[in-house]
Amino acid sequence: MSSELETINLKLGELATAANINELLTDEQSGAVGRKCLEGYQNDRMSRYQWERQMRDAFTLALQIQEEKTFPWEGASNIKHPLITIATLQWASRAYSGLIKAPDIVRCRVVGEDGDGKKAARAVRVSEHMNYQLIEQDEPWEEEHDKLLMTLPIIGSTFIKTTNTVPGNYPKGEHVLSSDLVMDYNARSVASCRRKTHRFNMWGNEIREKVLMGYFTDNDLGDRANEPDFYDPTKSLADKRQGLSKTTEEGPRLTLEQHCYFDFDGDGYEEPYIVTFDLASAKVHQITNRFRHTHTEQSLKTISLSKSIALAKQPAQIEMLQKQLVELRQQKPKVVKIEPNEHFTKYAFIPSPDGGIYDLGFGVLLGPLNRAVDTLINELVDSGKLQNQNSGFIGKGAKIPGGRLRFSFGEWKKVDVAGATLRESIVPLPVSPPSPVLFDLLGVLISYGEKTASVTEAMTGDNPGQNTPAYGWQQMLTQGMAVYSGIFKRVFRAMRSEFRIRYKLNAIYLNPQEYFSISDGKDQKIFQSDYLGDPKDIRPTADPNTVVSEDKTRKIAMIAERAAKQPGYNKPKVERLLLESMQIEDPDELFPLDDKGQPKIKLPPPPDFQLKAMEEQRKTLEADNQKAKDQADTKIASALAEADIELKQAQIVKIYAEAGAIDVKSMTEQLTAQTNRMNVQRQSMKDLGELMGKEKDRKDAASNKGNGGAMGGSSGNGVNQDYSG
C-alpha cells in the first residue's frame, strides 16, 4: 500500500484547484488511499472502545429504555429513575433560551480607533449579514443546536460541522454526535487531531446525484455484505425505545468522510485533505483539499525583505534588496506549512480528567448513582410484590387437588376437610416487608444525585416553603446556578469558535458583493472584503456570565433603581438595557435614541412647573396692564393741567381788560412772557417725564417686571407742584 501511495506525484497547483483529486489518481492509487483511510478509522475506534460502552449505558438511562429481567425471577421489576433525564431537560431549557436569542445571535465588535466610522459601519454589515445567514438562509441551524443542547448533557461532548464548498453559497451548520465523529481518544484537541472521520448514511440515489453532478467518482460499490457492523448508540437505542426494527429492504450505505493528511505532491510534506469513501468497499468517492493559507520558504523570505526595504534609507541598499526580492520571486516555491480549514467545532460539557478528547456528561457522572437508585427502587418494589401476592405451602391434610389454585372475585371453594385442619395445612411463605433502611438510603442517593446535577426543588420551580425569605431563596438559586454557569461559559466559547469558522468561510466563498434583507425589510449590501478582517472580532450576543435571563433583568433593575436616586448615570442607556434584558420586541421604536444616545421624544415638563410658568405669565400680564393704565392716567393729568393753565391765563386777561386800569398792551406782553416761561417749564417737565418713562421701560424689559405707571404719576405731580409754586 505504501509503495502505491509513494507513486502519487501531482503538482500543488492541481491539488489546490481540482474539484475531485480522485479523478487525477489511478485505480490502484485511489484504492490505496481508501484502504489507508479505513485502517486509520478502525484504529481510532479501538482507542475509544471503553468510551463507546459508557455512552451506550448513558443513553440507556437517559432514554428510559425498559429491559426484560430474569433475576430474581422472570419479569422482575426494572424501573429506571429519571435522574439523568430531569437533569438534561433542566439544563437544555435554560441554555437554549440563554444562548439563542433571535434575531440577534452574533455580532461583530469594533476594536481600536474609528474616527471616520468605517469600522462601525463594517461591523453593522457583518453582524446583520451573519444573523441573516443563521436565521433565513440556514434555516435548520437553530433546530440543529436545539438537538445539540439536548444531547450534550448526556454524553458530555458533541460537534457542529460547518461547511461551504460552493462559491457564492452560504455556510451550513450540521449537528454531529460524538459517536459519529471518530477520533483518536488521546488527541489533545479537534484542531490538532491528525485524523477525524465523520460517518453518515447515504442512499444510492444520493450517491448517483453526486456522480452526475461531477462531485463523486463513478465506482462500482458492490453489495453491502462486507460492510462491518458498527455501534451507533443513538440510532439503535432510539429504535428500541420506539419499538422499531430493521427492515429487509436495501437501506443506505454507510459513508465515511475523513479529514486527514497525505503527501500527494511528493515533497515529503503532508497536505490536509478530505477523503470521502464507502465503508463496505473502501472505494473513494471524492478527495478535496482543505487548504486555507499556504506558507512557502519564499513567501516568508519575501515578507522579511519587504520589511527591510521599508526600513532601508540608502538608495544602494534599497536597490540591492529589491534585486534580491525579484530573484526570490522567480524561484520555485517550497512549501513549509499549510494551514487547514477546520470544519468541526466541539461543544464540551465538563472536561475529562484523563485528558481524553471526549468530555464528561451526566451519563458518566450520574450513571453509577442512577443505577444504584434503580437497584434500590426495584428491590423495594419486588419486596412489596412478594408481600402482596400471598404465596406459601399447602400440606397433604388440606386434601386440595394438585395444580394451580385460582380464585375469582367473590368465589368460595369447597374442600373435604375440616376448617381447623385446613388452617393447619396452609403455611404462608415468610416474607419480610420492604426495608425502611433501603428507603432511607434511596432518599440519600437521590438527594446527592440532584445536588450533582443542580436539580434541587428551587431549581425545578417547586415552592421552597412559605417561611423561606425571598432573599434567601434568591441566593439558593444563585448558588444552584453556579454549576450551570461554568458549563454555559464552555458552550459560549464553542459557539464563538463556530461563528469564527463561518466568518472564515464567508471570506473564501462569499460573492464579491451581495444583497440581503434584514428584519425590518430593508435591503442591505455586504462585501466579501468585509470578511477579510480579524475573525476574533466575532462573538455571540449571549451573555457568558449568566444563564437565567431573570437574573440579568434583576441586576439591571437594581441599576435602574440606583440611577433614579444617584446622579451621574446615563439614564437613557440604563433604560435601553432594561428593555433588552426583558426581551421587549422593537426597543428602538419603544424608546428611540438619537446619534448622541439621548431620547428623541422629549419629556413634557412636570405639572408643578407648568403651574409656576402660568402664574409668572399672569403676574407679567397684570404688571403690563397696570403700567399702561398709569401711563394713560399721566397723560390725562398732563392734559388737564395744561387746560387749566390756559383757562386761568384767559381769565386773567379778561379781568385786566374789563378793569381798564392797566395798559392792555403792556399786560398782554407780560402775560405772553409769563405764558412762554410756563410753556418752556412745562415742556421741560414733559421731556423729563418721557425720559424717565423710557428708562423705566428698559429696566422693566430687563427684569420682566413693569412698574412704569408710578414714575409717570410722579411726573404729573411734579408739574402741578411747580405750577402751584
Side-chain angles (χ1 to χ4, degrees):
M1 183 188 306
S2 60
S3 60
E4 294 169 345
L5 293 176
E6 291 175 355
T7 60
I8 302 176
N9 190 6
L10 301 174
K11 294 182 179 180
L12 189 63
E14 294 178 327
L15 297 172
T17 57
N20 186 1
I21 300 175
N22 193 47
E23 297 291 339
L24 305 177
L25 305 179
T26 63
D27 292 341
E28 293 76 13
Q29 293 172 340
S30 177
V33 172
R35 292 189 296 271
K36 179 70 173 178
C37 292
L38 180 59
E39 180 184 355
Y41 162 74
Q42 293 172 343
N43 292 335
D44 292 339
R45 281 207 58 201
M46 289 301 299
S47 70
R48 66 171 201 171
Y49 174 74
Q50 186 65 31
W51 175 86
E52 288 187 355
R53 295 186 60 184
Q54 291 180 344
M55 292 306 102
R56 179 186 59 191
D57 296 339
F59 272 107
T60 302
L61 292 173
L63 297 178
Q64 299 287 293
I65 296 176
Q66 296 292 333
E67 298 173 344
E68 294 294 332
K69 287 182 63 177
T70 58
F71 180 83
W73 59 77
E74 186 176 354
S77 174
N78 190 18
I79 298 174
K80 303 290 185 182
H81 182 70
L83 182 59
I84 296 178
T85 306
I86 294 174
T88 299
L89 292 175
Q90 288 291 320
W91 188 88
S93 60
R94 287 179 171 86
Y96 183 70
S97 60
L99 280 170
I100 302 176
K101 298 180 178 180
D104 296 326
I105 303 174
V106 59
R107 68 183 177 194
C108 179
R109 61 180 180 176
V110 178
V111 180
E113 297 181 357
D114 186 26
D116 54 0
K118 291 184 179 180
K119 289 184 178 180
R122 167 188 166 273
V124 171
R125 290 195 301 270
V126 171
S127 300
E128 292 180 346
H129 181 246
M130 292 192 69
N131 284 309
Y132 168 76
Q133 287 183 329
L134 294 174
I135 299 172
E136 302 295 340
Q137 288 186 316
D138 191 10
E139 291 185 3
W141 181 88
E142 186 170 348
E143 182 180 355
E144 292 293 304
H145 282 71
D146 190 10
K147 297 177 184 178
L148 179 148
L149 296 175
M150 189 63 67
T151 309
L152 179 61
I154 301 175
I155 57 180
S157 58
T158 188
F159 301 86
I160 287 290
K161 180 183 178 183
T162 309
T163 57
N164 184 12
T165 57
V166 180
N169 210 336
Y170 58 88
K172 300 178 181 64
E174 175 188 0
H175 175 220
V176 179
L177 291 171
S178 55
S179 57
D180 290 332
L181 185 62
V182 181
M183 296 182 290
D184 188 345
Y185 187 82
N186 298 314
R188 293 177 299 173
S189 64
V190 176
S192 63
C193 185
R194 296 283 296 177
R195 184 173 54 239
K196 301 179 283 287
T197 307
H198 177 206
R199 58 189 186 190
F200 51 90
N201 290 322
M202 289 191 71
W203 294 88
N205 198 47
E206 293 181 274
I207 298 175
R208 189 58 187 169
E209 287 178 357
K210 296 284 188 180
V211 172
L212 296 176
M213 295 176 66
Y215 296 136
F216 279 9
T217 301
D218 191 2
N219 294 320
D220 183 11
L221 302 179
D223 56 21
R224 302 173 57 197
N226 297 326
E227 182 175 308
D229 295 333
F230 74 98
Y231 170 63
D232 184 354
T234 305
K235 181 174 175 55
S236 59
L237 294 177
D239 291 347
K240 190 173 183 179
R241 173 69 172 165
Q242 301 174 24
L244 303 178
S245 59
K246 187 176 181 179
T247 63
T248 58
E249 183 183 358
E250 183 71 17
R253 300 186 71 95
L254 183 59
T255 306
L256 303 182
E257 180 185 285
Q258 189 170 107
H259 295 228
C260 53
Y261 289 81
F262 280 99
D263 183 16
F264 285 159
D265 60 352
D267 62 350
Y269 178 81
E270 294 182 340
E271 305 88 28
Y273 298 97
I274 299 177
V275 180
T276 306
F277 61 99
D278 182 69
L279 177 63
S281 61
K283 291 186 177 181
V284 177
H285 292 306
Q286 183 186 35
I287 302 176
T288 58
N289 73 79
R290 53 190 185 105
F291 303 167
R292 174 166 172 77
H293 290 304
T294 302
H295 301 279
T296 63
E297 186 177 293
Q298 288 74 16
S299 65
L300 297 178
K301 292 181 179 179
T302 299
I303 295 174
S304 178
L305 283 176
S306 299
K307 292 181 179 179
S308 300
I309 293 173
L311 297 175
K313 297 181 180 180
Q314 298 180 0
Q317 184 180 6
I318 296 175
E319 183 179 357
M320 180 186 65
L321 293 174
Q322 290 178 345
K323 183 178 180 181
Q324 294 178 2
L325 184 61
V326 172
E327 294 176 353
L328 188 62
R329 289 174 176 173
Q330 294 175 352
Q331 297 177 4
K332 182 180 179 180
K334 181 180 179 182
V335 177
V336 295
K337 181 180 180 181
I338 297 179
E339 296 181 11
N341 278 322
E342 183 57 57
H343 299 281
F344 293 99
T345 304
K346 186 180 79 167
Y347 282 74
F349 199 69
I350 297 177
S352 178
D354 62 357
I357 190 66
Y358 299 104
D359 300 297
L360 304 180
F362 288 144
V364 175
L365 297 177
L366 299 180
L369 272 177
N370 209 146
R371 284 187 285 271
V373 169
D374 294 345
T375 300
L376 293 178
I377 292 177
N378 292 323
E379 288 181 355
L380 291 173
V381 172
D382 291 340
S383 178
K385 186 176 182 179
L386 288 174
Q387 183 75 16
N388 296 332
Q389 70 180 1
N390 293 328
S391 58
F393 305 96
I394 300 177
K396 293 182 179 180
K399 296 182 180 181
I400 298 176
R404 290 194 174 188
L405 183 62
R406 298 181 180 278
F407 284 86
S408 300
F409 183 75
E411 180 183 5
W412 296 82
K413 294 185 182 293
K414 293 181 179 182
V415 294
D416 297 332
V417 67
T421 305
L422 182 63
R423 283 194 298 268
E424 293 176 356
S425 301
I426 297 177
V427 181
L429 180 67
V431 178
S432 301
S435 173
V437 177
L438 291 182
F439 186 78
D440 294 339
L441 179 60
L442 175 64
V444 172
L445 293 180
I446 292 177
S447 65
Y448 274 100
E450 291 176 345
K451 290 178 180 179
T452 303
S454 294
V455 288
T456 56
E457 291 182 352
M459 297 296 295
T460 56
D462 292 341
N463 188 358
Q466 295 181 353
N467 296 326
T468 303
Y471 177 78
W473 182 67
Q474 185 64 45
Q475 290 300 313
M476 286 190 294
L477 281 177
T478 303
Q479 295 300 321
M481 291 300 297
V483 176
Y484 284 161
S485 298
I487 301 172
F488 186 81
K489 287 186 177 182
R490 300 185 190 101
V491 178
F492 177 87
R493 292 199 307 264
M495 184 172 284
R496 182 179 60 191
S497 300
E498 177 194 345
F499 291 158
R500 290 175 180 175
I501 291 177
R502 282 181 167 265
Y503 182 90
K504 295 175 183 177
L505 291 177
N506 281 330
I508 299 174
Y509 298 104
L510 189 68
N511 289 326
Q513 180 176 317
E514 275 192 14
Y515 287 90
F516 63 96
S517 298
I518 56 180
S519 58
D520 58 358
K522 297 180 180 179
D523 289 339
Q524 183 64 275
K525 183 166 58 175
I526 188 70
F527 303 94
Q528 187 182 24
S529 59
D530 290 336
Y531 286 95
L532 299 180
D534 191 353
K536 294 184 178 61
D537 296 340
I538 302 299
R539 55 167 294 164
T541 57
D543 185 1
N545 298 314
T546 181
V547 179
V548 183
S549 59
E550 287 79 3
D551 184 37
K552 181 179 179 181
T553 304
R554 180 177 58 84
K555 293 178 180 178
I556 297 179
M558 182 182 66
I559 295 175
E561 183 179 354
R562 291 290 303 162
K565 298 178 180 179
Q566 182 69 27
Y569 283 87
N570 187 348
K571 293 184 179 180
K573 181 65 175 179
V574 173
E575 186 67 22
R576 285 297 298 271
L577 289 176
L578 186 61
L579 294 177
E580 292 174 359
S581 66
M582 293 187 294
Q583 300 181 1
I584 301 298
E585 295 183 359
D586 299 328
D588 292 333
E589 296 182 4
L590 188 63
F591 190 68
L593 300 177
D594 56 17
D595 297 338
K596 297 181 180 180
Q598 298 300 318
K600 292 183 179 180
I601 302 176
K602 302 303 181 182
L603 297 178
D608 56 345
F609 180 82
Q610 292 182 347
L611 292 176
K612 290 181 180 179
M614 292 175 64
E615 181 65 20
E616 292 294 332
Q617 186 177 4
R618 185 188 63 80
K619 291 181 178 180
T620 302
L621 184 59
E622 289 181 353
D624 292 341
N625 293 337
Q626 184 64 34
K627 175 182 177 181
K629 182 176 178 298
D630 293 343
Q631 290 178 349
D633 292 344
T634 302
K635 292 181 179 179
I636 294 173
S638 299
L640 291 176
E642 292 177 0
D644 185 55
I645 292 172
E646 292 177 355
L647 177 60
K648 290 181 177 180
Q649 289 178 350
Q651 290 176 351
I652 293 173
V653 172
K654 181 180 179 182
I655 292 172
Y656 280 105
E658 291 178 352
I662 304 174
D663 186 6
V664 176
K665 182 178 180 182
S666 176
M667 186 63 185
T668 301
E669 293 176 354
Q670 292 179 3
L671 288 175
T672 301
Q674 184 178 0
T675 301
N676 292 335
R677 288 195 303 270
M678 294 179 65
N679 288 336
V680 173
Q681 186 178 8
R682 185 169 61 250
Q683 184 64 36
S684 63
M685 294 298 295
K686 183 178 179 181
D687 295 340
L688 179 61
E690 292 179 355
L691 181 62
M692 295 178 65
K694 291 180 180 180
E695 181 66 19
K696 186 64 175 178
D697 291 341
R698 186 185 65 79
K699 293 182 179 180
D700 291 342
S703 60
N704 288 328
K705 293 182 180 180
N707 195 18
M711 185 176 295
S714 64
S715 175
N717 292 336
V719 172
N720 292 334
Q721 290 175 0
D722 290 341
Y723 176 75
S724 300

